[in-house]
Amino acid sequence: MNASEILAAVNAGEDKDWEFKSAKGGLPGSLWHTYSAMANTDGGVIVLGVREANSGFEIHGIDDVERMEKDLWNTINNRSKISANLCVNHDIRIVTVSGRQVLVVQVPRANRRQRPVFTGQNPLEGTYRRQNDGDYLCSRQEVGRMLADQAEQPADSEILEGFSLDDLDQPSLDQYRNRFASRSPVHPWLKADNRGLLEKLGGWRTDRATGHEGLTVAGLLMFGKDDAIRDPSAVPQYHIDYRERLSSDPQVRWTDRVWPDGTWTANLFQFFERAYPRVVRDLRIPFQLASQQEVSLFQRHDDTIVHEAIREAFVNALIHADYRGQGGIVIERYRDRLEFSNPGTLLLGIDQILKGAVSECRNRTLQGMFAMLGYGEKAGSGIDKIRQGWASQKWRWPQIQELQRPDRVRLVLPMVSLLPEESVGRLRTASGDNLRGLSAREVQALVTADLEGIVTNQRLQQFSSDHPTDITRLLQDLVGKGHLVKDGGQFSSMLEGQRRDVRCGHDGDQSQDGTVMETLLCI
């Protein structure tokens, strides 16, 4: 973190990733609320020595900055003050900005084993999360879900008391066996009976410590009867829903829907079997002939890289969901995009998600069940498949949105061009010759704001390798030229009233307070 980056951030103002504090009288108590909030969200930067002024923020510096740095290290390592020190030496530094010294704290995102990071000694009273440019105290339910995610044992491997093989849908188990056999005809697990196959898959488990055995959460979710799945002793919040919205008639709510309406057995396997063909139906993808070795029930001649990407997205929503959360699995198909939404939070940081090769799954048993059919690989390569599929069509970059209250993760797959003619035409009409003088990066920023409602530094980082400081300057320049309007860390188009409603992820399944955490990322 250098002086120019700090200056650019101060000029832009506070947002989810940046917090400025005066610290004139020493370390402010609110520093640790922000530290907790950023650690439990996506990380961020706290700058001490910057005060709020009438026109924004200004740097006043810290007189005895070395002493404050020492106090900060002492406090951050005091377990009675803060539950975990996530920082290493280079995360806390003294930087000279405009001739004044400030103290910069770069807060990493806590991993699932470190969350919740809390102030004081009680996580129920001192756990915070970041929302826009503020910190809010987490509810008991939010803290409870963080604590549950710490466990090494997958959530879906829990043995259910009082459930038996009679709670499973036999046709579902038979169909799964047939799908498994079509992909791996000589697999040794296929020789086992239903109970034996379930044990191999993790759907039936024996606790070695107690000797207790029984049906697992994963076994019930994948193959169970829907009334058994929703039993208060099992997964009472369980809900799955495919909604197709292809009509331009506002009176038509959806053109097709698959949900637990009592006409079918609504477990995860049957949901995938019914909904996936509808998701990919009539996709306008160029015909690609597969090699003879690739042709099977699950990879046909017309099974393109886009189909593979959509399957990965579908299965990811099922295996990463927190089935204790609100809202259930919701998959929506629009004319210009697909949306996959599931309850829970991201278990990996953004950088790790983009790099791939690391797999963190909330429901590892379900992941294994789908992997036996060739879906939801454990190598962390699913993100790459989605990225490659969308790049093959030159469609706009996919987005992941992490929502709060309730916690949900939404993957949006836009099926529109990176630079749609309609959007560029609107910009050209509004800006005239002013558009001619803009760079390709600036035009991309304006198109993103036009199509998605807002554009942020994080979002543009996914379109290029430009430094975040350079992107901040680009956005500020577009504000100065009258193309964008600034609101905190977000920028919106001057064409707000003219933009057609193709804002990916801004309708349908919203969080209760309408807040979308800006984890809008290209994957």
Side-chain angles (χ1 to χ4, degrees), residues 95-275:
V95 180
T96 301
V97 184
S98 300
R100 296 177 174 87
Q101 290 185 313
V102 299
L103 189 58
V104 179
V105 184
Q106 195 152 359
V107 184
R109 174 188 170 111
N111 63 42
R112 69 177 178 88
R113 295 171 182 84
Q114 295 166 327
R115 291 194 299 268
V117 175
F118 54 92
T119 63
Q121 299 183 16
N122 186 346
L124 298 177
E125 297 177 355
T127 299
Y128 292 80
R129 289 173 75 183
R130 191 75 171 165
Q131 183 172 298
N132 293 328
D133 60 352
D135 312 318
Y136 75 85
L137 187 64
C138 291
S139 67
R140 286 177 171 267
Q141 290 75 20
E142 289 173 300
V143 176
R145 285 192 288 271
M146 291 185 201
L147 292 170
D149 282 337
Q150 290 181 356
E152 291 300 327
Q153 179 175 305
D156 61 347
S157 67
E158 177 188 352
I159 298 174
L160 293 166
E161 296 286 347
F163 289 78
S164 69
L165 295 179
D166 291 337
D167 292 302
L168 301 184
D169 177 57
Q170 187 61 45
S172 294
L173 196 54
D174 292 341
Q175 290 172 40
Y176 179 92
R177 182 187 288 272
N178 291 336
R179 297 284 189 268
F180 189 2
S182 69
R183 184 172 187 267
S184 305
V186 296
H187 198 288
W189 292 4
L190 293 171
K191 297 178 182 179
D193 59 12
N194 285 342
R195 162 80 176 269
L197 179 59
L198 277 173
E199 289 178 340
K200 297 293 186 182
L201 293 172
W204 186 280
R205 188 172 71 85
T206 300
D207 187 321
R208 290 181 178 272
T210 65
H212 179 60
E213 64 177 346
L215 191 65
T216 66
V217 171
L220 188 64
L221 286 171
M222 191 71 164
F223 306 114
K225 299 172 183 176
D226 38 343
D227 57 342
I229 297 174
R230 292 193 297 272
D231 187 276
S233 301
V235 193
Q237 299 278 12
Y238 176 78
H239 181 71
I240 45 180
D241 203 342
Y242 168 73
R243 306 165 183 170
E244 192 172 271
R245 304 172 185 264
L246 302 182
S247 175
S248 57
D249 184 350
Q251 301 300 317
V252 179
R253 191 172 185 186
W254 42 67
T255 51
D256 193 7
R257 190 181 185 195
V258 177
W259 64 294
D261 60 355
T263 63
W264 58 290
T265 304
N267 54 45
L268 293 184
F269 179 73
Q270 292 296 343
F271 180 57
F272 183 84
E273 288 284 290
R274 288 170 177 264

